[in-house]
Amino acid sequence: MNTEALLHDVRRQLHDGGLRGCLLVRDLDTGEELGIDPDTQLPSASLVKVPLALATAERVRRGELDGATRLDVPPGRVTTPGPTGLSRFRHPARIAVDDLLYLSTCLSDGAAADALFGLTPPAQVAEILHELGLRGITVRHTVDELSDTPVERFDTAQVHLAHALAIGAGTGGRGHRVPQLDTTRANTGSARSYVDLLQALWTPSKIHPEVAERVRDLMAHNVLRHRLAPDFSSDATKWSSKTGTLLNLRHEVGVVEHADGQSFAIAVLTESEVPAAIQPGAEALMSQAARTLRDHLRQL
């Protein structure tokens, strides 16, 4: 199958599965890439925790922060499904900055991320990205604002109503009645901008090698491995990634490193048109689409 026909087929499969997908796969050695709507800006959800980790690690390297400093973190006391770690704690905890980095990036702990945002506010994270030559990722607010969505206003039996609102309340210009889904107000990024970030972390760039190594190590220990990992993990590969989930958004970005030396940066950002919180079929379809593009690119 030629490239044009393959992209058309993948786009059709995503559509038939109820997904609007923005994908990009790039060979980190050659720069060759394949994508579907890779420049479309979408809310980042928890993907923003990668730029946050980068900015925090960079400030530790500069001596502006000490990774051993312990912070008093209030309990999140979240009871709705989804959040992890400190977000679900019932009592205060004292945790070092380095360990908050682990919780935020590897467990996608929103309370840990906001403790880090307390040290490096969104505007400063954005400034550091700019200093490092990274464009296209907008950091406007903390993670706590992501938890105040329509999901928290419905009981479990009515969660589908929150997803129906997320699907149906957008505008043609990517505005939205739900502020977390409004690209003029949310943290945003595109498949291309996140692949550019991954490339800067995995290949020589303005990012200091020690900082890049730290963020790569965090992503390698991501414990959320239900989305793209099944198609990219094996004894002959290493999969390092970060997921992002918010209402009808399902994202994952990562790098697969093959034993033969090839490495590919992958970003899959999707919006579901199905009003349901649990969609294992969508997760599998995302992974299949990314694997198809990677396989085709690897054979070129």
Side-chain angles (χ1 to χ4, degrees):
M1 184 181 296
N2 65 37
T3 300
E4 184 177 349
L6 179 135
L7 292 175
H8 177 79
D9 188 54
V10 171
R11 190 188 295 270
R12 178 189 57 78
Q13 291 178 27
L14 291 168
H15 180 269
D16 290 347
L19 289 178
R20 293 194 296 267
C22 303
L23 293 74
L24 188 65
V25 178
R26 180 183 297 164
D27 187 322
L28 291 179
D29 295 318
T30 67
E32 293 184 10
E33 60 184 35
L34 288 176
I36 295 174
D37 298 330
D39 297 305
T40 299
Q41 290 282 321
L42 289 174
S44 295
S46 285
L47 295 185
V48 76
K49 294 167 185 172
V50 179
L52 173 61
L54 170 59
T56 304
E58 171 62 15
R59 294 193 66 209
V60 169
R61 183 193 71 82
R62 294 175 183 178
E64 299 172 2
L65 298 174
D66 183 346
T69 298
R70 291 181 292 175
L71 302 180
D72 291 321
V73 184
R77 297 194 176 114
V78 175
T79 58
T80 53
T84 60
L86 297 170
S87 299
R88 307 193 78 86
F89 274 30
R90 298 182 178 184
H91 307 286
R94 177 169 291 183
I95 302 179
V97 170
D98 279 338
D99 296 326
L100 288 169
L101 263 175
Y102 168 75
L103 292 171
S104 172
T105 312
C106 303
L107 274 68
S108 203
D109 183 343
D114 279 341
L116 295 175
F117 269 128
L119 299 174
T120 309
Q124 189 173 8
V125 173
E127 181 182 346
I128 291 172
L129 290 178
H130 188 268
E131 290 173 5
L132 296 173
L134 297 165
R135 305 288 190 271
I137 296 174
T138 302
V139 186
R140 294 186 173 105
H141 58 73
T142 63
V143 175
D144 179 63
E145 297 180 43
L146 295 178
S147 64
D148 185 20
T149 72
V151 168
E152 283 69 45
R153 292 164 173 76
F154 294 101
D155 61 36
T156 304
Q158 295 178 312
V159 167
H160 66 284
L161 297 177
H163 286 263
L165 176 63
I167 293 164
T171 70
R174 294 210 163 268
H176 207 287
R177 290 174 60 190
V178 178
Q180 294 89 344
L181 301 178
D182 186 334
T183 56
T184 66
R185 302 168 67 182
N187 299 325
T188 61
S190 65
R192 185 177 304 282
S193 63
Y194 272 99
V195 163
D196 288 345
L197 172 57
L198 295 172
Q199 181 166 357
L201 289 167
W202 259 262
T203 63
S205 71
K206 290 184 177 180
I207 300 174
H208 192 280
E210 292 178 8
V211 174
E213 182 180 8
R214 174 69 169 136
V215 179
R216 290 197 305 268
D217 182 68
L218 289 167
M219 295 180 69
H221 289 90
N222 177 23
V223 303
L224 302 177
R225 306 184 69 81
H226 62 293
R227 194 160 285 166
L228 301 190
D231 271 288
F232 291 102
S233 297
S234 74
D235 288 346
T237 62
K238 179 181 180 181
W239 175 243
S240 306
S241 69
K242 180 72 190 75
T243 59
T245 308
L246 176 68
L247 292 170
N248 67 322
L249 302 178
R250 288 172 176 79
H251 307 329
E252 185 159 359
V253 302
V255 170
V256 58
E257 300 171 82
H258 296 278
D260 64 6
Q262 280 191 299
S263 298
F264 296 85
I266 299 167
V268 183
L269 281 59
T270 71
E271 299 172 297
S272 175
E273 297 180 321
V274 179
I278 300 174
Q279 297 184 46
E283 315 278 1
L285 186 56
M286 289 173 62
S287 188
Q288 178 185 340
R291 174 70 179 266
T292 298
L293 296 190
R294 192 287 313 269
D295 288 350
H296 187 76
L297 189 59
R298 200 176 188 198
Q299 295 167 7
L300 292 180

